[in-house]
Amino acid sequence: MTGMTTDAGDLRELTVGTGAGLVAGTGDQQLGTDMVLNIGPQHPSTHGVLRLKLVLDGERVIACEPIIGYMHRGAEKLFEVRDYRQIIVLANRHDWLSAFSNELGVVLAVERLMGMEVPERATWLRMALAELNRVLNHLMFLGSYPLEIGAITPVFYAFRERETIQAVMEEVSGGRIHYMFNRVGGLKEEVPYGWTGRARAAIGEVRRRLPDLDHLIRRNEIFLARTVGVGVLSAADAAAFGASGPVARASGLDLDLRRDDPYLAYDQLDVPVVTRTAGDCHARFEVLLDQVYASLDLAEQCLDRVDRLTGPINTRLPKVLKAPEGHTYAWTENPLGINGYYLVSRGEKTPWRLKLRTASYANVQALATLLPGCLVPDLIAILGSMFFVVGDIDK
């Protein structure tokens, strides 16, 4: 808007308010400044307690600064005062949706440092349970992500399938979220009689009903309008930020440790790696959805192998477990991406240092690049599509 006024015989032209970020006026007079808005640290659209400090021009994001640390519980420091049996309970909790996989990474690091061979039956059971845990993790996001952008129905379908898988996980471990089933040298105990058959039945049921969720949301025109072309993360940026898992594979990074640097017995399986190239919110959602189908198949193959194996489920350990002096690094393909575990021992019953490299921490860094230029309503769509757990960021 332009106004013409006469002041002491002089003609002035003054431009005002075409956007909240416009700084206008004459001399020292300013008629507009950018708005600084906090999303969080308590906000329903963040998966935990995350704070985003945004600079806005109207409804457009100019800059974004992710601020973390509101859930920090000092897991890495607590590892140093817990013995090798006790640290498993801490590993459970930083990503509460991937508890079994977190346990697995810690015990793999300890076993590698000790040069320990794990019974074959335990190895295949670990893989079956890890893939079921991956399905549980993905189903949570497949239900909650549409919910964050206005679609309530998918969460009911997603939780129906979660409960089916959760029942067999609870039967085998006694826990619904924090399983505490891994042990250094194997697993806590033998699975109940007939459990593999019941697990296979649950997998078949979820596989049969999953298209209900798939057809409801994958090609929904409102969902497509909110996600296609929104929050595009290029392959170069994904690699630069150290992104991994579904977020990176949706941008075209063909990387999966189960295939590329196999642990346990993944080298004996043909692991399908689900990728897309668009790098937008919809591509990330599709990767997650198609990974569920792939993980159900992998879990079933692992259960078939378990049924053909006999023998112990764990290794007999001394009453006081001490890892030899030295250091090692183990990494796993967790549901949300690559988790790394750098273990340093001085020959005592507690780790001298156990450093976590968590997938969510690396993935959320990309928000500083993804969010500038988007609109505030798209911010929620982008934020939800990064599939992070804040406890996994703050550790």
Side-chain angles (χ1 to χ4, degrees), residues 328-350:
T328 191
Y329 184 77
W331 58 353
T332 58
E333 186 68 40
N334 267 39
L336 297 182
I338 294 174
N339 272 24
Y341 307 83
Y342 178 58
L343 173 63
V344 183
S345 170
R346 290 189 170 176
E348 300 169 348
K349 66 178 182 179
T350 61

Side-chain angles (χ1 to χ4, degrees), residues 124-296:
W124 285 95
L125 265 172
R126 280 177 170 180
M127 291 165 61
L129 292 166
E131 293 306 317
L132 291 176
N133 189 201
R134 192 183 310 276
V135 171
L136 286 172
N137 174 290
H138 290 358
L139 283 171
M140 172 63 80
F141 286 106
L142 291 172
S144 67
Y145 179 48
L147 184 66
E148 288 169 357
I149 53 179
I152 191 171
T153 309
V155 75
F156 299 123
Y157 286 95
F159 267 75
R160 179 186 67 181
E161 311 315 331
R162 270 180 59 87
E163 284 302 312
T164 303
I165 300 294
Q166 200 73 273
V168 296
M169 294 292 283
E170 185 177 5
E171 181 188 357
V172 76
S173 68
R176 286 177 58 84
I177 298 179
H178 304 306
Y179 304 108
M180 278 299 294
F181 199 59
N182 278 286
R183 294 292 185 274
V184 176
L187 295 171
K188 175 187 174 186
E189 58 195 7
E190 184 55 84
V191 297
Y193 178 77
W195 177 83
T196 55
R198 291 188 290 276
R200 254 193 302 273
I203 290 170
E205 195 172 350
V206 172
R207 187 188 286 117
R208 177 176 56 81
R209 298 187 311 204
L210 193 59
D212 292 344
L213 175 63
D214 192 330
H215 297 155
L216 181 70
I217 196 70
R218 189 196 295 254
R219 293 288 172 251
N220 181 282
E221 60 184 49
I222 301 174
F223 186 72
L224 290 170
R226 292 297 307 275
T227 57
V228 172
V230 175
V232 176
L233 178 66
S234 68
D237 284 342
F241 282 110
S244 58
V247 170
R249 289 195 287 272
S251 296
L253 290 185
D254 189 5
L255 172 65
D256 192 311
L257 293 183
R258 295 172 296 170
R259 180 200 63 192
D260 301 327
D261 190 9
Y263 51 98
L264 296 176
Y266 277 111
D267 57 337
Q268 300 180 41
L269 292 177
D270 181 16
V271 179
V273 179
V274 181
T275 60
R276 294 290 186 276
T277 55
D280 58 9
C281 294
H282 194 264
R284 291 189 280 273
F285 181 86
E286 276 198 317
V287 167
L288 217 62
L289 183 54
D290 290 336
Q291 179 63 61
V292 172
Y293 291 104
S295 288
L296 289 172

Side-chain angles (χ1 to χ4, degrees), residues 293-363:
Y293 291 104
S295 288
L296 289 172
D297 292 342
L298 289 173
E300 194 166 43
Q301 293 175 47
C302 294
L303 291 171
D304 290 341
R305 181 66 71 93
V306 168
D307 282 342
R308 299 198 298 268
L309 293 170
T310 57
I313 204 71
N314 47 36
T315 305
R316 188 174 181 84
L317 298 174
K319 190 172 183 179
V320 178
L321 182 65
K322 294 184 178 181
E325 188 170 350
H327 61 94
T328 191
Y329 184 77
W331 58 353
T332 58
E333 186 68 40
N334 267 39
L336 297 182
I338 294 174
N339 272 24
Y341 307 83
Y342 178 58
L343 173 63
V344 183
S345 170
R346 290 189 170 176
E348 300 169 348
K349 66 178 182 179
T350 61
W352 184 77
R353 182 82 170 93
L354 180 52
K355 173 74 174 74
L356 296 178
R357 187 272 186 206
T358 60
S360 296
Y361 186 90
N363 290 353

Side-chain angles (χ1 to χ4, degrees), residues 52 54-64 229-232 281 367 369-383:
L52 297 178
L54 306 175
V55 179
L56 302 180
D57 176 5
E59 287 207 31
R60 192 166 299 279
V61 178
I62 302 301
C64 168
V230 175
V232 176
C281 294
L367 289 174
T369 294
L370 278 181
L371 293 181
C374 79
L375 297 173
V376 171
D378 289 337
L379 179 152
I380 304 302
I382 297 169
L383 189 63

